[in-house]
Amino acid sequence: MTKSRSSARVVPLRKGTTLQMVRLACPDSGQCALISESFGLPVLDSDGIRDLHEKLIIDTAAALKEGLGERAMQIHMQRIVGAFVGSAHGAGQFYSRAVSEARDATAKSACDDRDEDVGGPVGFDSAAQRKREFAADMALQAHALRMAAEGAVAAYEQVVGEAWKPFERTVENPAQSVDRKAAELQMAALG
């Protein structure tokens, strides 16, 4: 008696970056305005950035409409929007690391027993202050890219007619590493 085995197999997916992940990693408009005010940085036109990128994507799709079929347009828009979302997420992650470094440096400089974090000569900022200023600059960059991504996602829905979701690609044979493949090829060559 032979046992029947299911021929279905689980194909793992490589998860894409979502807009929600971007929103969690990048500062929102309120936080960005507070950072700008606290550090004397320019106040970004968040809505303007979002609206401009939405229009840019819609205008791009309109220009391509004659040359692309519906499915080709969807694939192209998927890739374009995915690039905006991925870029914003990367900036948000970088911003998070910069904030962590600024917090660490600020906590260390608050310790009275340390000499190395004492402010430098007049006119020079402490290392902790430079890290805080760098984190503030990264906040503005991450927020600007978040707003660009949000505009691109909104445009995708208008152009394609459905909500944007990240592309999830299947992982190619995750159980077989490159080393194992190389070993099999070498053994095959040896006979």
Side-chain angles (χ1 to χ4, degrees):
M1 177 193 255
T2 59
K3 292 183 182 180
S4 128
R5 292 184 8 155
S6 172
S7 62
R9 61 176 212 171
V10 176
V11 178
L13 298 176
R14 182 172 296 152
K15 297 289 185 180
T17 304
T18 65
L19 188 58
Q20 184 60 27
M21 293 165 71
V22 169
R23 289 176 175 152
L24 291 171
C26 299
D28 62 19
S29 298
Q31 185 180 7
C32 191
L34 181 61
I35 290 168
S36 291
E37 180 182 316
S38 298
F39 286 88
L41 296 171
V43 176
L44 299 181
D45 177 10
S46 302
D47 292 336
I49 294 169
R50 182 192 181 285
D51 294 346
L52 179 71
H53 283 81
E54 183 176 356
K55 182 180 177 340
L56 171 76
I57 300 298
I58 290 170
D59 289 350
T60 299
L64 292 171
K65 193 170 189 154
E66 294 289 321
L68 296 180
E70 188 176 314
R71 182 69 180 138
M73 179 66 79
Q74 182 182 11
I75 291 168
H76 178 66
M77 289 290 117
Q78 171 67 36
R79 290 174 177 158
I80 297 296
V81 174
F84 277 98
V85 171
S87 178
H89 187 250
Q93 290 178 316
F94 191 80
Y95 160 67
S96 295
R97 284 191 296 275
V99 168
S100 294
E101 289 178 14
R103 280 192 184 120
D104 290 348
T106 300
K108 287 177 185 175
S109 70
C111 180
D112 293 333
D113 297 334
R114 293 176 54 99
D115 296 335
E116 60 202 59
D117 294 317
V118 174
V122 175
F124 292 97
D125 295 330
S126 70
Q129 177 64 29
R130 287 191 304 274
K131 287 188 183 285
R132 287 191 300 272
E133 290 171 355
F134 180 74
D137 287 338
M138 295 306 100
L140 266 59
Q141 289 182 28
H143 176 70
L145 292 172
R146 171 188 172 167
M147 297 315 295
E150 289 197 11
V153 167
Y156 180 91
E157 190 163 355
Q158 288 182 47
V159 171
V160 176
E162 61 186 52
W164 178 83
K165 291 179 287 209
F167 178 73
E168 295 178 346
R169 78 184 71 216
T170 56
V171 178
E172 294 181 23
N173 203 357
Q176 193 170 25
S177 70
V178 172
D179 289 340
R180 184 171 171 191
K181 288 179 187 176
E184 286 176 5
L185 288 173
Q186 290 171 342
M187 291 308 295
L190 293 173

